[in-house]
Amino acid sequence: MSYQFHDAEVIKIEDETSTVKRFYFKMLGEMKFEFKAGQFVMLDLPVDSKFTNRSYSIASAPGNDNVFELCIVINEDGLGTPWIWRNVTVGTKLRCTTALGKFILPETIDVDLCFIGTGTGVAPLRSMILEIFNKNIPHKNIYLIFGNRWIKDILYRSDFDSLQSLHPEFKFIPALSRETPETWNGVIGYVHQVYEEIFADNRNAYFYLCGWSNMVKEARDVLKARGYTKNQVKFELYD
């Protein structure tokens, strides 16, 4: 499949963790860059590979300024992210597609939403959550269950804590697999125990899964066994 690429300029870079950076892009030219929360773009990178295009979900909410944010973790064994780490600075121009993908919010949010993410898989989930609150979209309860190994790995923690304090119907639940009760007073373990407990009654809900493929596959299997259909369980893989 062929894609149309356009020029985009990096206007800001922030270190989120020691291995994750937040890149802010502005689409150049006359084209108005529009996207739906949850979508991704492809960057055309000058790397020595048969496949030079790399896909990254948009972490920011839709706006009107042609600016979007990508949250990227470095993969030392890959080609794309090491090149980005070495070469991309503020002012760098890259070729970028328009927004792609169907991992988006339902037209009507008439049941609870459960977002389940790991690592940088939280990026499109953040975009959707921000979209709901920015535009005051009618909704029910919203859960964000975010799996990581360590406290230091929790991306956008202050953002999600702030949203939770402002919106009591939003529950932010990090699940950490390597911490201990001495270092962490939240959930210790994996995301599965959390959503299984919250939805033990099998009530109607939409589930959005994004992150490591093992997590996504297990969650899909668990939810299918509980009777949730493909229309209720959306997913995106990150490895």
Side-chain angles (χ1 to χ4, degrees):
M1 183 176 180
S2 60
Y3 299 96
Q4 280 195 331
F5 287 85
H6 308 269
D7 288 330
E9 180 178 353
V10 177
I11 59 172
K12 185 167 67 169
I13 301 173
E14 295 179 342
D15 291 328
E16 180 70 8
T17 70
S18 61
T19 58
V20 176
K21 291 181 185 289
R22 298 166 64 175
F23 294 87
Y24 297 80
F25 288 81
K26 185 177 182 68
M27 196 68 83
L28 303 177
E30 298 299 318
M31 186 193 73
K32 183 174 175 59
F33 181 74
E34 297 179 330
F35 66 94
K36 294 181 179 179
Q39 290 189 303
F40 67 93
V41 294
M42 297 182 73
L43 299 180
D44 187 27
L45 303 177
V47 294
D48 185 16
S49 170
K50 183 178 179 182
F51 302 102
T52 61
N53 300 337
R54 299 293 190 273
S55 300
Y56 300 104
S57 288
I58 300 171
S60 50
N64 299 313
D65 54 4
N66 271 20
V67 173
F68 59 96
E69 177 191 339
L70 303 182
C71 179
I72 302 176
V73 60
I74 188 168
N75 175 8
E76 299 286 2
D77 297 325
L79 292 172
T81 53
W83 185 91
I84 290 173
W85 253 242
R86 289 192 305 267
N87 297 282
V88 174
T89 59
V90 172
T92 297
K93 295 182 178 63
L94 293 173
R95 301 286 285 167
C96 176
T97 64
T98 53
L100 304 166
K102 298 179 180 179
F103 189 64
I104 57 176
L105 289 167
E107 289 189 15
T108 302
I109 307 173
D110 52 2
V111 297
D112 288 356
L113 288 177
C114 183
F115 297 103
I116 306 170
T118 50
T120 52
V122 78
L125 310 182
R126 176 179 184 258
S127 180
M128 287 188 265
I129 292 166
L130 291 175
E131 172 80 340
I132 291 169
F133 291 125
N134 287 352
K135 295 188 176 176
N136 294 316
I137 297 172
H139 58 275
K140 306 296 185 180
N141 292 313
I142 300 173
Y143 301 89
L144 172 59
I145 305 168
F146 189 16
N148 289 285
R149 295 184 175 92
W150 306 99
I151 293 172
K152 64 181 177 61
D153 299 327
I154 305 174
L155 307 175
Y156 302 108
R157 183 181 180 185
S158 60
D159 289 5
F160 293 133
D161 283 341
S162 296
L163 283 173
Q164 183 170 234
S165 66
L166 290 170
H167 303 279
E169 76 281 14
F170 174 59
K171 281 80 173 176
F172 174 45
I173 310 169
L176 305 178
S177 61
R178 303 287 175 84
E179 296 290 348
T180 66
E182 290 72 35
T183 59
W184 176 246
N185 61 5
V187 175
I188 296 173
Y190 298 96
V191 296
H192 309 289
Q193 66 199 69
V194 183
Y195 65 79
E196 286 195 79
E197 180 178 340
I198 293 172
F199 292 92
D201 57 359
N202 289 350
R203 66 184 180 277
N204 196 6
Y206 289 117
F207 296 87
Y208 285 80
L209 321 174
C210 191
W212 306 321
S213 57
N214 287 343
M215 180 280 288
V216 171
K217 182 180 185 305
E218 182 174 344
R220 288 172 64 201
D221 289 344
V222 169
L223 293 169
K224 181 180 179 181
R226 286 176 168 267
Y228 292 104
T229 66
K230 289 182 178 179
N231 289 333
Q232 293 170 295
V233 182
K234 314 292 184 183
F235 68 92
E236 196 104 286
L237 300 176
Y238 257 58
D239 59 353

